[in-house]
Amino acid sequence: VKGFLAEHKGESANSTIRDYRYLLNHFLEASSQRGFIALEQWGPADIREYRKSWKVAANTASKKMAILKTFFEFCLSNEWINRNPARLVRQKHNRNEDEEKERIPFTDEELTRMYKACESSYGKGKYEYRYSWSGQDLEDFISVSIYTGLRISDVATFHTDRLRKSGECHIRTTKAGKKVNTWIPEWLQKRIRERARLYGARIFGTSESPNPDVITDLWRRKLKRLWKLCGPWDETPVHHRFRHTFVRILLQTDGVEIREVAELIGDTEESVRKHYAAWVPERQARVTKVLRDAFANKPKPNFLKTRKNQA
């Protein structure tokens, strides 16, 4: 497990490493409970039984299985085992998979509410002295989240090395080693550089703890305070909805292909179509308008009167 985590450190996002660590620690506990002391003792039947112990949604279970398969593949490549038992376990499909909750982005109106609360409410009043970070800090945190689509752990630990002079921002590296960049507006580039001048290369602060979850949780708590100030909310606000908002804005832009969106967020085109394109109401409204305009002046038949009308 240590070797697997070391292999991915520096190559995978902090959130990905956290998911790996969480599952594999649980995997070690499950091995101990079964009295297993060697990898070879895990067989397909054991993997199926282990999977049954996960009290999670089908989509989450699929992600956990993907991690487990990757881990055993790593062990196989190091010749510690002679077969990958997780590969022999077929994907489990749930009849309710298609009924998964939609991925809901923030609307422009909700974003406006947040920015206004940052300016007028957050950290204001008689307890203002308690706030080490201001509403401006939260505004910048939200803006970086929206314009990059990064997960909260990557925003909280954002380093200025990500920002290129061209205005492009490095957001992820593919398994093939290709760097994927997104462009951010000039005003946000200036904010990032100004923050670097004030706070250092880690523009949203550092922590004495080597665990990135410490500073991530700090910003998660700040966002929760902000959301209380500018509610109520039809959908529970969480940081990941900024990532969905990043996708929403792209899908609403004419000429943007789903393939390009999938590459930016590190997902498949099929997943983007399933979880994003279908639920963007503005996108559907635009398609409806295009169709309405296209067929407005086209020939149409003269409808015959029904017998009832003729009578």
Side-chain angles (χ1 to χ4, degrees):
V1 168
K2 289 180 180 177
F4 176 79
L5 294 176
E7 180 85 2
H8 288 273
K9 188 176 181 180
E11 296 183 0
S12 301
N14 291 329
S15 57
T16 301
I17 296 294
R18 184 177 64 246
D19 290 342
Y20 287 171
R21 188 185 303 113
Y22 177 82
L23 177 64
L24 292 177
N25 283 340
H26 189 265
F27 172 74
L28 288 173
E29 292 177 8
S31 299
S32 179
Q33 290 170 1
R34 287 169 170 76
F36 292 172
I37 59 173
L39 286 168
E40 293 90 340
Q41 291 177 273
W42 278 94
D46 302 300
I47 297 293
R48 291 189 187 93
E49 185 180 347
Y50 177 47
R51 183 175 61 183
K52 289 179 181 178
S53 69
W54 302 337
K55 306 301 180 184
V56 296
N59 189 44
T60 303
S62 296
K63 292 178 180 179
K64 286 178 175 288
M65 275 301 298
I67 295 174
L68 204 57
K69 289 177 181 178
T70 303
F71 167 70
F72 274 110
E73 203 64 35
F74 170 79
C75 297
L76 181 63
S77 68
N78 283 286
E79 299 183 345
W80 298 336
I81 52 178
N82 55 22
R83 57 93 171 90
N84 182 340
R87 290 285 178 193
L88 302 176
V89 178
R90 292 185 61 184
Q91 178 68 38
K92 185 176 180 181
H93 294 285
N94 189 309
R95 66 178 62 185
N96 295 322
E97 277 184 307
D98 292 333
E99 299 176 10
E100 291 178 13
K101 190 173 182 180
E102 294 177 342
R103 298 181 181 180
I104 307 298
F106 288 115
T107 64
D108 289 347
E109 185 274 332
E110 288 172 332
L111 295 177
T112 300
R113 265 196 281 154
M114 279 185 256
Y115 281 133
K116 286 184 177 179
C118 287
E119 295 172 6
S120 61
S121 305
Y122 187 84
K124 301 293 192 296
K126 64 179 181 178
Y127 298 114
E128 184 173 350
Y129 67 92
R130 294 182 180 179
Y131 291 77
S132 56
W133 297 92
S134 67
Q136 175 68 69
D137 299 311
L138 266 176
E139 282 184 334
D140 293 339
F141 195 91
I142 291 170
S143 296
V144 171
S145 302
I146 294 170
Y147 282 89
T148 63
L150 290 170
R151 294 175 173 84
I152 187 170
S153 58
D154 294 320
V155 178
T157 57
F158 190 95
H159 195 288
T160 51
D161 284 350
R162 284 182 178 269
L163 182 61
R164 309 287 190 264
K165 291 183 179 180
S166 62
E168 293 181 332
C169 182
H170 173 59
I171 52 176
R172 70 183 191 89
T173 303
T174 66
K175 292 180 180 179
K178 175 186 174 183
K179 291 189 175 182
V180 179
N181 300 320
T182 185
W183 176 87
I184 56 177
E186 188 174 344
W187 64 265
L188 186 53
Q189 296 174 43
K190 290 180 179 179
R191 286 301 309 153
I192 290 173
R193 294 188 177 102
E194 176 63 15
R195 294 194 66 84
R197 187 183 68 80
L198 294 172
Y199 304 108
R202 298 283 184 184
I203 64 173
F204 293 112
T206 57
S207 171
E208 294 180 359
S209 171
N211 186 353
D213 291 345
V214 173
I215 192 167
T216 299
D217 288 340
L218 172 70
W219 284 97
R220 189 177 281 114
R221 290 194 298 271
K222 295 181 185 303
L223 286 169
K224 286 183 178 179
R225 292 193 200 107
L226 174 69
W227 288 327
K228 285 183 179 179
L229 293 172
C230 53
W233 302 90
D234 293 331
E235 294 287 337
T236 303
V238 293
H239 183 274
H240 213 68
R241 288 182 63 189
F242 289 123
R243 183 172 171 84
H244 301 330
T245 305
F246 173 74
V247 176
R248 170 182 72 83
I249 293 171
L250 289 175
L251 290 175
Q252 289 176 278
T253 304
D254 291 331
V256 175
E257 297 181 5
I258 289 181
R259 172 183 55 81
E260 296 167 330
V261 177
E263 181 178 0
L264 284 171
I265 64 173
D267 214 334
T268 63
E269 292 183 50
E270 179 184 0
S271 181
V272 171
R273 288 191 182 95
K274 177 181 178 180
H275 295 295
Y276 290 100
W279 52 245
V280 178
E282 294 88 346
R283 181 180 176 84
Q284 183 57 53
R286 190 175 73 246
V287 171
T288 300
K289 183 179 183 303
V290 168
L291 291 169
R292 184 185 292 116
D293 293 344
F295 288 95
N297 300 315
K298 298 304 177 187
K300 51 181 176 288
N302 293 318
F303 296 102
L304 297 175
K305 293 182 179 180
T306 63
R307 290 183 177 180
K308 183 178 179 179
N309 290 337
Q310 288 177 339

